Amino acid sequence: MPLLWLLLLFCGQQVSAASAVPAERVLQSTNVYSFDALPADSGSLSASVPVTQLAGLGDCQCRARCLSQSTCRGYGHSVSTSSCLLTELLPTPERMEPGTADWRWYARRGVRLLGEPCAADRDCSLLVTGATCFNSTCGCHGPVEEDGSGGCRKAGRFIAVGTGQLTGQPLWEQSGASVNECSAVCAANRTCLAFDLMSDGTCTFYSEGITSGAGSGRDVQSFVWSFRQPDGNPPQSYVPWDGGFLNVLPATTGLQAAGACFSDGAILYPNMAPEKLANLRTFFADHPASSDLVLVGMEDMVREGVFVTSDGREVTDLAWDAGEPNGGGGENCTVITQAGLLHDAPCTTAQYSALCQYVGENLAVGRHAWMNTPSTPQSPANGADGDVETFVDNKHDLAVRPLTWTVDLGAPVQVTSVLYASRADCCPMRNRFLEIRVGSHPTLFDEQNSVRCVSLHKHFMLQAYARMFRCETPVTGRYVRVARHRRRVFQFGELAVFGNRLATIGA
Ligand SMILES: *[C@@H]1O[C@H](CO)[C@@H](O)[C@H](O)[C@H]1NC(C)=O
Ligand SMILES: *[C@@H]1O[C@H](CO)[C@@H](O)[C@H](O)[C@H]1NC(C)=O
Ligand SMILES: *[C@@H]1O[C@H](CO)[C@@H](O)[C@H](O)[C@H]1NC(C)=O
């Protein structure tokens, strides 16, 4: 069991981090050596909570004793009696009872279990792999769910991805198994993310999913774990709705709304099913918008009358209000009425509230990015700076093909979707012949070392808009590359990447 001893000295005491936590994870989280003070009038820890009592200690020595025990999660100290109580259960307001003595209670930071208060994800993930801090409480959110014994397990299911798709070093093999047996074994193991099944019932398990466009070529059925959600918890302003999270933005233009959603890891509300739109009435009753009409994620910017959602689906059978759509080329965005009916509306007037739906954490933002040609004064970093107003631009006079922009996600990710924002201020049609690939090598993006997420041959958007594309299947790699084929000019505003970090899940 890796333990981290002797890191610090407190009041002459050697202190340690919590038990059962790998040393390298403790090192990333030095706040395990500090405490949150409970309010002075909190009373005393409930008599039902076991404590270790030590006499004749000052506050600092009491604290040092707690830190010297890897299982200590908090302490109480009484100045008048110099008494010190150590507890292995986190002191929280709910665990306190009224008391008269001058006890002060302190909760150890950085090591929190499910349901306990937290300030950051690492407070939760140190003891419980995969747990995150949401709404100031540790829990199993997004891609993980509670496993019933205090931990988080991956949430999702296996999907069949065709024949011989998996490459790389297998974890282990098992013979005489069915699809259901292999699924159950792999689902129960943190490290396992994919498996191959041979016709003789031999199952081969892998820690990564699809990493190569070439595949293994083996005559096997391939299955990949598909997480319920990408990594990430929504900003506090987002509220749960219909299995996701929504937020209403103040009045803005359609174009700015797409950018505002983008910076939250969100898209304009994409679900145009009539019953879903009608149900939003209940949502708006609790979360009123500042305008009667509210922007949602559908537009016909590229071809008049061909409506495409913010998550890239062409839609028909829409619940238009009477006489709508009626604006033609002047009204390319869409708003909904309080009754959930659609109107077309101008994209450029700032008179509508907007409805954003959370997608996930943008795993590319702030990451190192580069291009394969010299850029203009616009830095390649602009494509992953979280700001849709800044843009990426290559030097136009070079004969390099394809033109590429690559971002390093820092560690392997199973990528499920990308969100592309076009350049805001000009030339928005420069998005034809785009291909987005996910690779495991920083420069080799051939079929062997990378795999396609999406390929976009037609123009798909006009100015400043953001559109999400799901990968054809979830694909795994550390680098994401946007390549523009057959053209000299390569410009876009921003690329967000959504998916699941393999490290979070324990791979
Ligand atoms: C956040 O926590 C409060 C109380 O702790 C709870 O009432 C609320 O429903 C929670 N919000 C979400 C989005 O879970
Ligand atoms: C998962 O599989 C790996 C590789 O075979 C093994 O080392 C590990 O103990 C397994 N974990 C669980 C929880 O079964
Ligand atoms: C609206 O979309 C049409 C194509 O459907 C396009 O020709 C026109 O330029 C767009 N108008 C604006 C203001 O963007």
Side-chain angles (χ1 to χ4, degrees):
M1 186 73 57
L3 277 177
L4 192 67
W5 297 104
L6 312 179
L7 251 189
L8 294 173
L9 287 173
F10 270 91
C11 304
Q13 291 270 349
Q14 294 170 347
V15 303
S16 70
S19 62
V21 176
E24 63 278 9
R25 278 163 58 196
V26 172
L27 282 172
Q28 293 162 8
S29 181
T30 49
N31 67 343
V32 299
Y33 303 106
S34 55
F35 291 82
D36 290 321
L38 271 66
D41 56 359
S42 294
S44 209
L45 198 59
S46 163
S48 62
V49 177
V51 291
T52 307
Q53 184 154 13
L54 303 165
L57 295 183
D59 183 87
C60 179
Q61 291 160 313
C62 183
R63 170 172 296 215
R65 281 301 181 89
C66 182
L67 288 173
S68 71
Q69 295 182 11
S70 57
T71 52
C72 182
R73 314 242 356 260
Y75 71 95
H77 183 255
S78 159
V79 178
S80 61
T81 61
S82 297
S83 298
C84 172
L85 297 177
L86 308 185
T87 166
E88 295 185 9
L89 211 57
L90 191 78
T92 59
E94 299 75 41
R95 290 179 177 145
M96 292 292 153
E97 284 172 356
T100 48
D102 61 339
W103 287 100
R104 286 305 308 273
W105 285 89
Y106 301 87
R108 192 168 187 172
R109 279 197 192 145
V111 279
R112 300 291 165 90
L113 298 168
L114 297 184
E116 292 182 343
C118 52
D121 286 347
R122 63 174 184 279
D123 297 350
C124 308
S125 60
L126 213 49
L127 289 181
V128 182
T129 304
T132 51
C133 184
F134 180 56
N135 203 9
S136 304
T137 311
C138 290
C140 306
H141 301 287
V144 293
E145 61 193 7
E146 289 191 28
D147 67 3
S149 54
C152 299
R153 66 172 171 225
K154 58 194 189 213
R157 64 196 168 86
F158 283 101
I159 52 172
V161 291
T163 299
Q165 296 291 297
L166 305 177
T167 51
Q169 195 61 38
L171 288 169
W172 80 97
E173 276 190 8
Q174 181 174 328
S175 52
S178 65
V179 173
N180 285 348
E181 285 161 343
C182 299
S183 303
V185 167
C186 190
N189 188 302
R190 282 191 177 287
T191 339
C192 190
L193 210 65
F195 66 89
D196 273 342
L197 183 61
M198 267 165 68
S199 51
D200 70 357
T202 306
C203 226
T204 311
F205 299 98
Y206 297 86
S207 64
E208 299 190 328
I210 304 173
T211 55
S212 160
S216 68
R218 297 207 308 157
D219 183 18
V220 288
Q221 271 300 306
S222 305
F223 297 83
V224 169
W225 182 261
S226 167
F227 287 93
R228 178 178 64 181
Q229 302 223 315
D231 284 355
N233 289 317
Q236 290 292 339
S237 51
Y238 282 67
V239 291
W241 180 257
D242 195 20
F245 289 90
L246 302 183
N247 185 30
V248 188
L249 300 181
T252 176
T253 69
L255 299 176
Q256 280 163 352
C261 295
F262 186 102
S263 52
D264 287 343
I267 53 176
L268 280 166
Y269 185 79
N271 197 334
M272 297 300 137
E275 67 281 5
K276 294 284 181 191
L277 294 179
N279 284 345
L280 286 174
R281 188 194 322 213
T282 321
F283 175 83
F284 287 118
D286 289 339
H287 309 280
S290 60
S291 60
D292 285 344
L293 298 171
V294 177
L295 281 159
V296 290
M298 183 172 81
E299 38 73 16
D300 68 338
M301 287 184 193
V302 174
R303 271 185 65 200
E304 183 59 34
V306 176
F307 286 91
V308 186
T309 60
S310 56
D311 61 353
R313 291 169 301 119
E314 256 184 43
V315 276
T316 50
D317 295 328
L318 294 162
W320 294 108
D321 205 351
E324 299 285 341
N326 60 7
E331 298 195 347
N332 290 346
C333 285
T334 317
V335 291
I336 49 165
T337 65
Q338 297 294 304
L341 297 174
L342 296 161
H343 288 205
D344 59 347
C347 298
T348 45
T349 46
Q351 52 178 314
Y352 308 116
S353 286
L355 187 62
C356 302
Q357 174 168 290
Y358 184 66
V359 178
E361 180 183 346
N362 175 3
L363 301 176
V365 72
R367 293 284 172 186
H368 180 58
W370 64 92
M371 298 184 83
N372 69 340
T373 70
S375 56
T376 61
Q378 309 301 330
S379 158
N382 288 351
D385 63 357
D387 180 357
V388 294
E389 301 280 324
T390 63
F391 63 96
V392 167
D393 190 12
N394 73 317
K395 236 177 142 102
H396 302 173
D397 50 356
L398 295 170
V400 182
R401 298 288 184 281
L403 298 160
T404 68
W405 176 89
T406 311
V407 62
D408 176 2
L409 303 178
V413 169
Q414 180 168 300
V415 177
T416 45
S417 61
V418 292
L419 177 57
Y420 172 100
S422 57
R423 178 177 169 182
D425 57 346
C426 109
C427 336
M429 289 288 267
R430 290 178 175 165
N431 52 38
R432 217 173 148 192
F433 304 123
L434 282 191
E435 189 187 22
I436 302 178
R437 297 184 74 87
V438 174
S440 7
H441 190 279
T443 53
L444 293 176
F445 274 76
D446 54 8
E447 282 296 299
Q448 208 66 42
N449 294 285
S450 73
V451 52
R452 190 168 74 199
C453 166
V454 283
S455 168
L456 303 157
H457 284 284
K458 296 190 290 192
H459 294 303
F460 54 89
M461 147 186 342
L462 285 188
Q463 65 227 26
Y465 226 70
R467 179 162 302 152
M468 192 177 92
F469 298 96
R470 289 190 179 80
C471 299
E472 292 153 17
T473 59
V475 289
T476 302
R478 171 173 166 170
Y479 305 91
V480 175
R481 167 167 290 186
V482 189
R484 184 150 204 235
H485 297 275
R486 298 158 59 177
R487 287 293 180 272
R488 279 188 314 121
V489 181
F490 184 29
Q491 298 174 333
F492 65 93
E494 192 78 12
L495 188 84
V497 176
F498 303 112
N500 300 93
R501 295 182 184 92
L502 300 194
T504 313
I505 209 70

